[in-house]
Amino acid sequence: MKKITAAITGIHAYVPDYILTNKELEKTVDTNDEWITSRTGIKERRILKGQGKGASVLGINAVNGLLNKTNINAVDIDLIICATATPDMLFPSTACIIADKVGASNAFAYDLMAACSGFLFALSTASKFIETGTYKKIIVVGADKMSSIVDYTDRATCIIFGDGAGAVMLEPSTEGNGIQDSILKSDGSGSEFLHMKAGGSALPASHETIEARKHFVFQEGQSVFKAAVTSMADVSEEIMKRNNLTSNDVAWLVPHQANQRIIDATARRMGVGNEKVMLNIERYGNTTNGTIPLCLWEWENKLKKGDNLILAAFGGGFTWGSIYLKWAYDSNK
Ligand code: UT7
């Protein structure tokens, strides 16, 4: 019997309409376009406006588009995993809300939380259900409304993040395409450098936590930057070596979009030229779990069956990882 691999058979993404430019941020915090662009590569990001709209709104749009594109009926979906750091509510899971709204009535659904590495962790988890023959159609969604946890008076964080979501369809392949390998890592000793101080069980919401602005992303930028540069490059190099891939074998690097300088360092270590790096940080900023599927979506028409892709991410936790996959279809046919 031929080995079953988990192949991405469709991709779709969604970003909200509102564009928050560097120029607009200049009006609210002490920053400027030149600083933001040279330190991060970001020019603008998208923001989901409207009362009561959570990350599920982004995810629902991405998943509905995916179902339309792939011509797959929602009732045939076995499982939906939503990677998110900004769930609509602590419970029910955002995946449950998405499943309900898209009509995936036969799917079970749950969220997976690994900060910016969540999409990779979810993709790897989902691939095991496919490889073992347990399920045939799984949707992995990465959705984040970062604007809901960003302090727009803190210039160290508000310039980085944006809102967005992407979703992939995973199905079995017997042609050897799809996910080949993954390396996933975490180190909780890094939590002090990137976290949200209140709102969890350790420090539930109170007047004090709100007054002290503890419900926003806290980041010690330089410490995170240093760890990200080393870890994302290390893990990408490691997955190449382990699979005997040279830089010539790699068609695309699909990096988490946190800072262009981190992406450049990873590409350099892999020996991969800029022309092979998916980069859209300029227009979307860091959408946390949305970054990697947003890249795949925008580059879909350039991808060819059999292309070797290296996905890489680093984020809060610390968490980081890399996935090696073979693209499973010619997108522009
Ligand atoms: O996706 C999850 C993982 N997150 C990351 O990977 C993010 C990693 N970190 C970073 O990308 C960078 O550390 C930042 C973009 C957040 C910050 O860039 P940096 O080059 O590390 O700047 P810094 O924090 O060392 O700050 C340098 C200077 C400071 O001023 P002084 O002390 O040198 O006078 C900051 O106060 O830049 C100042 N600064 C700003 N100036 C203008 C910090 N933020 C801003 C700003 N505009 N928005």
Side-chain angles (χ1 to χ4, degrees), residues 31 35 39 116 155 219 221-222 224 256 258-259 261-262 286:
T31 191
W35 192 96
R39 297 287 178 122
C116 295
R155 68 175 182 173
Q219 177 170 258
Q222 276 200 14
V224 179
H256 170 53
N259 187 313
R261 291 181 289 146
I262 299 171
N286 182 350

Side-chain angles (χ1 to χ4, degrees), residues 134-150:
T134 315
Y135 301 117
K136 300 245 176 325
K137 289 185 180 9
I138 301 179
I139 292 177
V140 178
V141 197
D144 270 303
K145 184 185 172 186
M146 293 307 291
S147 61
S148 66
I149 56 165
V150 163

